[in-house]
Structure formats: structure tokens, C-alpha cells
Amino acid sequence: MKSGQEQFPSAARLKSILPLWPLLPAAFYLITFLFVVLSYLLYLSFSTASGAFPTLATAGNVFAMNEFRQAFVSTLLFVIVGTPLELVAGLALAMLIYKPFFLRSIVRTLFIIPLAVPGLVTATLLFIIFDSNGGFMNHILMGKYWFFPHVIRHAVDWRGAQWSALSVAMIGKIWRDVPISMLILLGGINAIDPELFDAAKTMGAGLRQRFRYVILPLIIPAISSVLLLRSIEMWKEFIFPYILAGRYHLLGTLIEFLYMEWGGKYEHEAAFVALVLVGCIVVSVAVFMFLVDIVRRMVSDVR
Amino acid sequence: MSELIIKNIQKFYGDHKVIDKLDLQINSGEFVTLLGPSGCGKTTLLRMIAGLETIDGGELYIGGRKANNIPAQKRRIAMVFQSYALFPHMSVKNNIVFGLRIKGMELHDMFTRLDWVLPLLGLEGLENRLPREISGGQRQRVALARALVLDPDVLLLDEPLSNLDTALREMAMEELKRVHRQVGKTIIYVTHNQAEAMTMSERIAVMNAGHLEQYDTPGALYRHPRTMFSAEFIGSPSANFIPGTIEIKNGELVLNSEIGLLEIDETRKDYLRNFSGRSVVAGIRPQDIILSSTRTHRRASDSHVTLGVELIENHGDRSFVLGRFENGLPVRFMAANDSDYRTDARVEVLIDGRCIHLFDPETRQNILEK
Ligand SMILES: Nc1ncnc2c1ncn2[C@@H]1O[C@H](COP(=O)(O)OP(=O)(O)O)[C@@H](O)[C@H]1O
Ligand SMILES: [Mg+2]
């Protein structure tokens, strides 16, 4: 009968909504961390300490800063050079261990260890290794060890120049994170039917040709994952430049610098830099996806 | 010349001996099948010939050249894999010309080869499809085309038809025979299906647990099985095995079997006298057990036996009958469908002494075929 339905309309509706309850934590997360945080970031970015809102004054301050322009260019280079480097390093490691061999699982575990070391520790180690006097790297290059020739006479102040300080930071970053790229690529390579390699072999393909014509086209999805995920990480990088290139900012360290260093006077500017960083990531993801598509077409001559 | 000689070849996986001192000689242009149950080492042997597995002992000669250490890329051998192993990211055309491209062949010659192989295997019009966009039978033909365009000395086929349904498989079998006739390549074909092997091959190498049981023409394998394994594996349904003893009764040589005295044909009697008193196993094909009612005259070498019919499988013109001898031993035989028998009936059958194969129960070897 009709009346029964009219009597408990809310109960019926509740029943249809009830199955959605497991989504609540996710909804809570989305609202809190995306909506609230991002909108507060937007508010901070377009307001000033004196309470003006909305205003482009903060943005103007940031764009006028020398530090910001330098940090932006440095971060861009960090991403453009660092991401492909990590991809190549990860691919090289993955190619070393994609075939089963004696003790492979042990070698693979060894390759993953850098990931288990906290970034702060790795960065500090590199800090010591690349110290301007008494650092291990200077000693090696000055020929203090039998295994390396004498190439420099005076110790180099690695952390004293922008390009070398940021390069050392990049090396640290890549060294620590390359296992992630390796594992993603390894997954891609191991998903390929090994008989494809056998087939290529019987058709005359050597190692390089098998890599170029079989492995590479088939791991494009894994390569795009690496490029996208790792480029985001490169944009956001903080700990390695913070420890190793203190004076030469990336966007990530500039936020901290603006927020902490000048007595909290630049809170709004720090927020705006963070907003720029988010924007950079969005744009760069789009650019990398576009590039991956071009590469995909280049290596997989499908038709 | 593309003859293939395998001498005393061996393969181990750890302590597990997969191929055990196997000898095989395949003539140029011959169609040879490696036949054996799953896991007997067929794929391993094929991969050793292709250069995809190392050879742990013995020698492999391809076209007179020792090939043990020639890498797969340089062996001039093409292989069709059971999974076909087509490159999923390449079109049919690019799959087929992959090997030619690797060799750096001129575009013009490449298209000549393509124009030859596409109609040969009925692949016209599919050139630009991806492997996932064509049917199983078409994939199998692409894999074959990809192997053929390489113009290999030897063509290896690993159970290429096992993923096809029955109708398609029969078509593919005919096609493969036609292709072999047209291109005249040495072909080594692997299957666990004896009917496929019997239909297509010039010679069959029957393998069992890593060794060679018998290497013969299909006819010889059927008529003169060298071992009990061959007798059981070749022919369908499998042969019946009946234990017995060779005896001299009243001066006549007979086979005293568990189902009664069985006659042996005159021509073999003299030779078998040397074996009197020995235990044997008689192998009798279902096709060689005949309902007495369908045979008007009786040969001297025929024996009469009665049995109970338990199950009849109709195959159209004939039926496959499962029965039991009076002593309880099960038996399989074929009977024409117009003859008079039914389930639970007792029938009399004839066993032709000329068709009884005699094996040593210990060595499982045929005591007559050396
Ligand atoms: N890579 C391997 N490692 C260890 N054992 C293997 C390997 N490949 C095959 N085998 C073993 O070798 C035997 C023969 O295998 P295979 O040649 O594939 O048989 P078939 O093709 O006749 O079915 C099987 O017992 C199988 O378990
Ligand atoms: Mg196999």
C-alpha cells in the first residue's frame, strides 16, 4: 500500500544512504585537508598582515623578491634535470635485476636500503662527505686514496657555490629515492611475458634491440608513473637542499625561510610561494603527461 | 643444408635431469614431431635447439655445424611459441617484419616477403590490427608468418595448435601441412596430442620423462611399437595390456594369458620358441579386437574370448566399447554400430594373433622389435 511508504520517508532514504558510510573518513579527509587547507592558503596568499583582502600586494612582494626568482629557476632546473636522472638511474638498476639470478632477492633488498635511511641522515652524511676541508670527496679528488688519481690541488667548497650545492642536494635526493623508481619500473618489466624476449632473440634481436623494441615500449606506463610521481617529489623537495644548500633556496626551502627567518613578517608571502608551488606542480604534471605521450608515439611504432 | 643432429644431449635443472642422453637426427626438409605427455621435456628440448636454454651435455649440429654455443640470435632458427609471444604493442605487419628489420633488410625486400607470406597464411587485410584485435587462429597464423618470413633453416613449433578449438585446429593442421609442402622447411613440431602427430609428421619422436622411446614413421609406430609406452601413447583409444606367459602346449606355441590361451601367428612362432616359459605383457589395440558376429571366416591365428559389455560410447559410424573379460580384466575395443551388442550383454570377440604385441614386463620393451 501507498500509505506505508509515506509514513517513513526518512527511513527509506536513510537506508539508501547507509551503504555510503564507509566513505565518511575519506570525505572528512578531503574536506579537511584539501578544502580547508587550500582555501586558507588562498586566503593567506591574497591578503596582507594589515588585513587587506583580497589584494595582489603579497603576490607583488613575492614576484619582486630576488630570492623568489632565483628559487623558482633553481627548482625548475632541479625538476628538469633530477626527474630524468632518477628515471635513468632507476631503469639502470631495474635492468640489472629484472632477470632471476642467484641471490637476486638479496641484491634487490640492498638496492632498496637507501629508502630506509631517513633523508636527514643521508643529507648529513653528504654534508660531511662534501665538506670544504677534510671532506671525503675532496680527499679522493686530491689523490689521497690509491684508487683515484690526483685531479685537484686545492679543496673545493662544494656547498659554497650555488650550482655545486644544489647538485649535491640533487645527488642526495636521487640516491635516497631511486629505489622507488626502480621498483615501479621493475614491476613494469616483470609484467612483460618473458617469451617476448625469447621470441625477439630467435628473430635476431640483441640485448640493445630487445631493450629498445620490446622493453621500452612496454614499460611506457611505468615510465609515465615515474615521471609524474617523481617530478612532484622533485618540486616539493625540502630536506636535501635545506641541509646541503642552505643559502641557495628552492621553492620548498624558501617557504620555510620566509616563514621562520624574518620574525614571522612574511607569513603571507610564504603562503603565496606555497601556492605558486602547487601551481607549478599542476602545470608540470600536464607538461610531463604531454611529453610522455610524445615519447609513447616515438618508441611504439604501433601501426 | 639444414639437417639437424642431436647427439647424447642432456639438460639438468639443478639435480633434476630433464633431458637424458637423447639422440635424434632430422633430415633437411623433414617434418618431425616430438610427441610425449606434458612435462616430458619437449619444450626444453626445443628451446635447447633454438638456443634459449644451455646444453648441459652432448652435441647439437645444425646444417653440419656444431651449434652448442651459437647464440639464439645467430642460429637461423625460427620458433613459434605456445603462447605465440606476439608483440602486443606492434601491428600484425610490424610483428611479421620485426626480424627482417632487426636484420636491416631493405624496405623493398621486406615488402616482397610480406606480400608472399600474407596470402600464404590468409592474413590479408589484418596488417594493421594489433594482436589483441584478432582471433586466436589468426594470432597463430601471424606467429607462423613471423617465423616463415625469416627464411630459417629450421622451424620450431611448440604446441602451436593447443589453444585452438577442434574445428580450427583441424583447419590449421591442414594449413601447416600445405605450408610445409610449399616452403619445404625442416620443421620440428611439438605436441602431446598423438592424433596431431600421426596426421602431420613424416617421423615422430616419442618422448617419455626426458628420453626417447621410439623414433619412427607414424605407420611404423602404430604397427610396431618398440615399447609399452609407445603402444599406449600412440593410437586412440590406448592399447589393452594383458599379462601372460609364452608356453608350449602339445608341441604348439601359445600365449597363456590371464584371459585364456591366445593364438600367435605362424610367422612369429619359430622365433618365439626361444622365449618359452617367459612372462610377457600382450599389447592389443582396441581396433584389433573384433566382434565374432561380424566375421564369417576364421583364421588360424584368431582366438575367441568372451567378455561383458559395460559401457558404449557412440562415435557415429563406430562405437568405443568398454568391457570386462571373464577374469575381471577391463578391455577397450571398437565395434561397428550396425552389429549386435548392448550394455550388460555377453559377447564373443576375436583377437587376431598377428596383431598382438609382446612386451617384456621388466624392461617394457617389445621382445620382437629390436
Ligand atoms: N626453468 C625450469 N626450472 C626447473 N624445472 C623446469 C624448468 N623448465 C621446465 N622444468 C621442468 O622440466 C620438465 C620438462 O618441462 P617441459 O620441457 O616444459 O615439458 P613439456 O614441454 O614436455 O611439457 C618438467 O618436469 C618441468 O617441471
Ligand atoms: Mg611444453
Side-chain angles (χ1 to χ4, degrees):
Chain A
M1 271 200 297
K2 192 172 149 194
S3 60
Q5 228 181 9
E6 277 173 16
Q7 232 173 333
F8 310 106
S10 60
R13 185 180 290 173
L14 199 65
K15 221 175 179 178
S16 68
I17 293 175
L18 216 56
L20 296 177
W21 71 264
L23 291 177
L24 274 179
F28 176 78
Y29 165 82
L30 281 175
I31 290 167
T32 317
F33 290 94
L34 277 174
F35 186 72
V36 174
V37 172
L38 263 183
S39 42
Y40 191 56
L41 183 67
L42 279 170
Y43 167 74
L44 281 177
S45 304
F46 295 104
S47 58
T48 60
S50 52
F53 177 81
T55 169
L56 289 175
T58 305
N61 288 346
V62 168
F63 287 131
M65 273 179 208
N66 231 349
E67 285 92 343
F68 171 76
R69 275 172 306 199
Q70 277 194 1
F72 177 79
V73 173
S74 302
T75 312
L76 193 63
L77 283 174
F78 203 78
V79 174
I80 291 176
V81 178
T83 312
L85 265 183
E86 188 179 320
L87 173 72
V88 170
L91 195 52
L93 291 184
M95 288 302 294
L96 279 181
I97 59 169
Y98 82 92
K99 267 190 239 167
F101 59 87
F102 186 57
L103 296 182
R104 170 168 80 154
S105 53
I106 290 181
V107 174
R108 187 173 48 200
T109 311
L110 282 177
F111 283 175
I112 296 171
I113 284 177
L115 206 56
V117 181
L120 185 63
V121 175
T122 308
T124 309
L125 279 174
L126 284 170
F127 188 94
I128 297 165
I129 290 172
F130 284 94
D131 200 53
S132 56
N133 47 58
F136 188 54
M137 191 51 68
N138 277 331
H139 281 179
I140 290 179
L141 296 178
M142 287 160 81
K144 294 209 172 165
Y145 299 98
W146 55 268
F147 59 80
F148 206 83
H150 188 164
V151 285
I152 55 172
R153 194 172 306 178
H154 302 292
V156 177
D157 185 7
W158 300 101
R159 289 182 276 101
Q162 187 179 20
W163 72 268
S164 61
L166 287 174
S167 298
V168 171
M170 187 188 290
I171 288 168
K173 167 75 177 160
I174 291 174
W175 187 78
R176 207 258 324 253
D177 284 355
V178 74
I180 302 176
S181 300
M182 180 196 76
L183 287 177
I184 295 173
L185 294 164
L186 200 56
I189 298 172
N190 284 336
I192 301 174
D193 176 4
E195 280 201 339
L196 293 187
F197 303 141
D198 290 337
K201 252 189 239 177
T202 58
M203 286 185 274
L207 210 65
R208 277 169 52 191
Q209 288 158 321
R210 293 202 293 275
F211 177 76
R212 165 68 184 82
Y213 295 110
V214 184
I215 296 182
L216 206 53
L218 288 174
I219 59 167
I220 291 286
I223 290 180
S224 11
S225 302
V226 167
L227 287 180
L228 289 183
L229 294 175
R230 305 321 299 159
S231 65
I232 293 173
E233 284 297 307
M234 288 287 170
W235 278 110
K236 296 191 310 188
E237 182 50 22
F238 175 76
I239 193 73
F240 285 95
Y242 183 73
I243 302 282
L244 292 163
R247 279 188 286 157
Y248 313 104
H249 294 298
L250 297 185
L251 289 177
T253 51
L254 184 65
I255 297 170
E256 192 271 354
F257 179 74
L258 289 175
Y259 187 75
M260 302 294 287
E261 296 293 308
W262 289 333
K265 258 176 32 193
Y266 289 97
E267 195 184 24
H268 295 262
E269 280 74 7
F272 186 78
V273 174
L275 194 65
V276 170
L277 189 50
V278 172
C280 285
I281 289 172
V282 171
V283 172
S284 104
V285 163
V287 169
F288 270 113
M289 276 163 84
F290 177 73
L291 287 179
V292 161
D293 206 51
I294 291 179
V295 173
R296 190 203 314 275
R297 268 180 232 160
M298 261 164 48
V299 297
S300 56
D301 39 359
V302 169
R303 311 270 154 167
Chain B
M1 275 293 99
S2 47
E3 71 174 342
L4 201 113
I5 299 170
I6 292 167
K7 262 193 196 156
N8 228 350
I9 221 164
Q10 280 182 307
K11 179 75 192 175
F12 298 90
Y13 283 121
D15 289 339
H16 181 44
K17 197 183 272 180
V18 183
I19 301 289
D20 185 15
K21 298 204 171 127
L22 194 140
D23 285 301
L24 202 61
Q25 185 161 352
I26 295 163
N27 300 327
S28 186
E30 202 174 12
F31 192 131
V32 165
T33 296
L34 305 180
L35 174 66
S38 192
C40 72
K42 307 179 296 292
T43 297
T44 306
L45 182 58
L46 213 57
R47 290 173 60 86
M48 285 160 85
I49 296 170
L52 298 170
E53 299 284 351
T54 55
I55 294 171
D56 296 338
E59 284 126 46
L60 168 70
Y61 295 91
I62 302 170
R65 214 153 57 108
K66 188 169 173 186
N68 285 42
N69 297 318
I70 301 179
Q73 297 95 286
K74 306 218 168 106
R75 282 199 190 182
R76 291 190 51 78
I77 278 182
M79 182 156 171
V80 173
F81 295 81
Q82 191 170 356
S83 67
Y84 307 144
L86 298 181
F87 300 119
H89 55 293
M90 291 182 202
S91 64
V92 164
K93 182 179 66 196
N94 283 340
N95 261 287
I96 294 175
V97 299
F98 180 81
L100 305 179
R101 273 195 182 175
I102 293 288
K103 291 200 172 104
M105 183 181 269
E106 299 267 336
L107 218 57
H108 172 79
D109 300 334
M110 222 151 78
F111 277 105
T112 312
R113 293 264 183 108
L114 204 57
D115 288 343
W116 165 75
V117 84
L118 287 176
L120 182 71
L121 290 171
L123 290 168
E124 301 114 311
L126 301 175
E127 298 91 325
N128 293 324
R129 303 260 192 100
L130 286 177
R132 65 164 176 272
E133 297 165 344
I134 58 179
S135 73
Q138 289 165 339
R139 273 178 224 159
Q140 183 264 326
R141 281 181 277 152
V142 174
L144 188 58
R146 188 172 72 168
L148 283 175
V149 287
L150 289 172
D151 191 25
D153 288 342
V154 181
L155 185 57
L156 307 177
L157 305 160
D158 191 1
E159 313 218 12
L161 309 185
S162 62
N163 296 328
L164 305 183
D165 60 54
T166 319
L168 215 50
R169 184 180 310 161
E170 273 168 18
M171 265 175 52
M173 264 154 69
E174 283 167 20
E175 192 167 76
L176 208 54
K177 270 198 290 191
R178 175 178 60 84
V179 168
H180 178 242
R181 219 175 31 246
Q182 276 174 296
V183 302
K185 293 257 170 259
T186 309
I187 292 183
I188 306 180
Y189 182 94
V190 160
T191 181
H192 63 263
N193 179 325
Q194 62 93 27
E196 264 177 43
M198 295 291 274
T199 339
M200 294 202 283
S201 344
E202 288 165 81
R203 280 199 285 174
I204 300 175
V206 181
M207 285 177 68
N208 176 25
H211 69 266
L212 194 63
E213 288 275 336
Q214 187 169 356
Y215 185 32
D216 247 323
T217 61
L221 268 170
Y222 187 83
R223 284 190 307 273
H224 309 290
R226 202 68 76 67
T227 66
M228 276 173 76
F229 184 87
S230 285
E232 195 175 9
F233 209 77
I234 302 277
S236 170
S238 316
N240 299 288
F241 291 107
I242 301 159
T245 330
I246 293 174
E247 285 172 10
I248 315 257
K249 282 244 163 81
N250 311 326
E252 279 289 307
L253 186 123
V254 288
L255 173 61
N256 187 3
S257 79
E258 286 189 5
I259 58 165
L261 293 184
L262 295 177
E263 298 285 344
I264 303 284
D265 59 301
E266 288 300 328
T267 48
R268 294 192 291 177
K269 272 183 179 169
D270 276 345
Y271 178 70
L272 281 173
R273 276 181 192 278
N274 308 328
F275 291 87
S276 80
R278 260 182 69 174
S279 304
V280 291
V281 173
I284 306 166
R285 293 199 184 281
Q287 291 81 354
D288 297 329
I289 299 178
I290 293 154
L291 284 171
S292 301
S293 57
T294 60
R295 179 77 76 71
T296 46
H297 67 282
R298 193 190 151 174
R299 290 196 197 91
S301 57
D302 284 348
S303 317
H304 281 262
V305 187
T306 48
L307 54 80
V309 174
E310 288 190 342
L311 205 75
I312 302 171
E313 256 180 41
N314 199 325
H315 285 216
D317 58 332
R318 298 172 311 158
S319 283
F320 167 47
V321 185
L322 270 166
R324 221 168 259 285
F325 289 116
E326 279 174 332
N327 73 339
L329 209 64
V331 58
R332 298 175 285 264
F333 68 98
M334 307 294 295
N337 269 358
D338 51 10
S339 44
D340 181 28
Y341 60 95
R342 62 198 152 68
T343 315
D344 292 333
R346 307 201 62 73
V347 293
E348 191 173 73
V349 292
L350 288 175
I351 296 174
D352 188 343
R354 294 173 305 177
C355 301
I356 297 177
H357 309 288
L358 294 169
F359 301 98
D360 184 322
E362 295 293 314
T363 63
R364 301 174 72 85
Q365 302 279 318
N366 193 322
I367 59 173
L368 292 168
E369 315 273 346
K370 281 296 162 196

